[in-house]
Amino acid sequence: MTGRKHSRRTFLRGAGGAVGAGAAAWVGISNISSASAETTAQGKEARSAARRKPAAAAPGVKGKVYAGYQGWFAAAGDGSPVNAWTHWASGTPAPGNQTFELYPDISVYPASGLYQTGYANLGNGKPAKLFSSYSTAVVDQHFAWMQQHGIDGAALQRFGSDIVAIGQPRLQQRNDIQSKARDAAEKHGRGFYIEYDLSGLTDDNLVATVQNDWTNTITGTLKLTSSSAYAHEGGKPVVHLWGLGFTNRPGTVQGSLDLINWFKNKGCYVIGGVPRGWRTDANAKPGFGPVYAALNMVSPWNVGNPTVDQQLFDDDMAELKANGQEYQPVIYPGFAWSNWHTGAPKNEIPRKAGNFMWQQAVAVARCGTKNAFVAMFDEYDEATAIAPAATDASQIPTNQYFLTLDADGTHLSSDFYMRLAGAATKMINGSAPISTTIPIPPVA
């Protein structure tokens, strides 16, 4: 574990730093012809009927591959509770003012969810715009892509720094996004579950804050676990607690155990996001063994590791199998954050035209588990997104560096990593044989 991803994840996944403090603003514009259609009785009834429709994915977590879903990009003027640029930049994105590395392929995003930046035009002459995650059309498109490419569903990231901000726009923003994700998951037959990122909490408030949020909001006002698309394992609603045992995350051994056992007593199936060195306490808080042992499923955070370590996956799997626990390894396409951290290398952990992520998937399939977590679906910030990205210089602004998919010398279509994730899902769940070579073409 390099630790670089962790410090970035601390900052952007809800620690309330410069970008996080700006809060996220998302577009409340639908891809249907007018916003008024969503406010009519007919529109409301249609959405209600859609939510009652059973999810085609029959969601569980065993034998499934979920992608982490941030839903945190924002734009000024998007009509959201926060209504300001965030995660793309603090203020209007412009040359020298950005906190993301990988430019999205905006040509495939709904026009209603795009907002003008301060960059020069793209290399192809089109305006340099960025999307807002508040857009109903954008969220719907993300889940439509998951369905199209055979990705089982999304782990909806819910940040400690948001849920502690009761009564503030950033929490309403998060609630609205996750309600839109529920609707999109139901519509497109994908599963979803809540993943609490404990960033932004403290040892003192962690347990009570998460408990209150689950009781009052997730199962209360939002009623997310009542959705036909909400992941249940063995009839139990799934919840993921990310940050257990990390040296730069809150939580004592006793507090962590109390929270896990509270969820279990509520009838939940609990996944834990833990350090890559969880078995040996490497780069982890000491003494967390009982915490890891209390989990139903363990998901060690592999992002930042530049190698593919078959032995790591094998040893994790062996220990968890012996303990009667499930294993959800994390795979990711690559990593870079030079636009956020001055002096950081460009293309720091290269994607190698998909081979880096594919070899991780091969190692996961070989270790014997049928489950995995893709980090992440939409994190353009650190260039870990599998969502459509700029293929080459024609799709990025002419006056600012951004990573493009051809950085390793191979031209890839912007949907390549979603297609790759779909192929990896089949190999991991056993519906396709293990292949050491990528089974999909660079361009569809």
Side-chain angles (χ1 to χ4, degrees), residues 32-52:
I32 57 180
S33 59
S34 71
S36 63
E38 290 200 359
T39 62
T40 64
Q42 183 179 4
K44 290 179 180 178
E45 175 57 30
R47 293 197 312 280
S48 178
R51 286 197 291 271
R52 293 194 295 268

Side-chain angles (χ1 to χ4, degrees), residues 5 21 29 46 79 89 105-106 108 139 146 222 233 328 392 437:
K5 174 64 177 178
I29 303 172
D105 174 7
I106 60 170
V108 296
V139 176
M146 293 179 205
L222 298 184
E233 191 57 56
Q328 188 193 55
D392 53 39
T437 57

Side-chain angles (χ1 to χ4, degrees), residues 34-229:
S34 71
S36 63
E38 290 200 359
T39 62
T40 64
Q42 183 179 4
K44 290 179 180 178
E45 175 57 30
R47 293 197 312 280
S48 178
R51 286 197 291 271
R52 293 194 295 268
K53 184 179 179 181
V61 286
K62 293 182 183 179
K64 304 287 185 179
V65 176
Y66 280 79
Y69 190 77
Q70 307 286 30
W72 60 16
F73 292 106
D78 63 10
S80 70
V82 173
N83 198 31
W85 286 101
T86 192
H87 275 281
W88 297 121
S90 180
T92 303
N97 181 38
Q98 56 275 318
T99 54
F100 69 106
E101 192 80 3
L102 185 67
Y103 209 89
D105 174 7
I106 60 170
S107 71
V108 296
Y109 274 95
S112 63
L114 295 175
Y115 291 82
Q116 182 62 47
T117 68
Y119 299 117
N121 286 349
L122 306 181
N124 58 20
K126 296 181 178 179
K129 297 185 177 184
L130 291 167
F131 69 83
S132 167
S133 299
Y134 196 79
S135 169
T136 301
V138 167
V139 176
D140 185 80
Q141 182 63 77
H142 284 160
F143 280 80
W145 282 329
M146 293 179 205
Q147 180 185 38
Q148 177 184 351
H149 297 292
I151 300 164
D152 290 315
L156 305 185
Q157 313 296 289
R158 194 163 176 87
F159 308 103
S161 56
D162 288 340
I163 65 174
V164 78
I166 296 173
Q168 296 184 27
R170 64 185 299 166
L171 179 54
Q172 185 61 53
Q173 189 96 352
R174 180 61 48 186
N175 292 343
D176 289 352
I177 292 295
Q178 296 188 335
S179 295
K180 293 169 190 270
R182 171 202 59 206
D183 294 350
E186 292 173 357
K187 177 180 176 181
H188 297 289
R190 301 299 91 187
F192 76 96
Y193 60 83
I194 290 295
E195 178 184 346
Y196 283 105
D197 183 321
L198 305 179
S199 306
L201 299 176
T202 68
D203 289 355
D204 292 333
N205 70 9
L206 185 154
V207 175
T209 301
V210 174
Q211 288 175 344
N212 290 339
D213 184 72
W214 183 262
T215 300
N216 298 328
T217 304
I218 300 304
T219 63
T221 54
L222 298 184
K223 299 186 182 343
L224 293 185
T225 57
S226 299
S227 168
S228 60

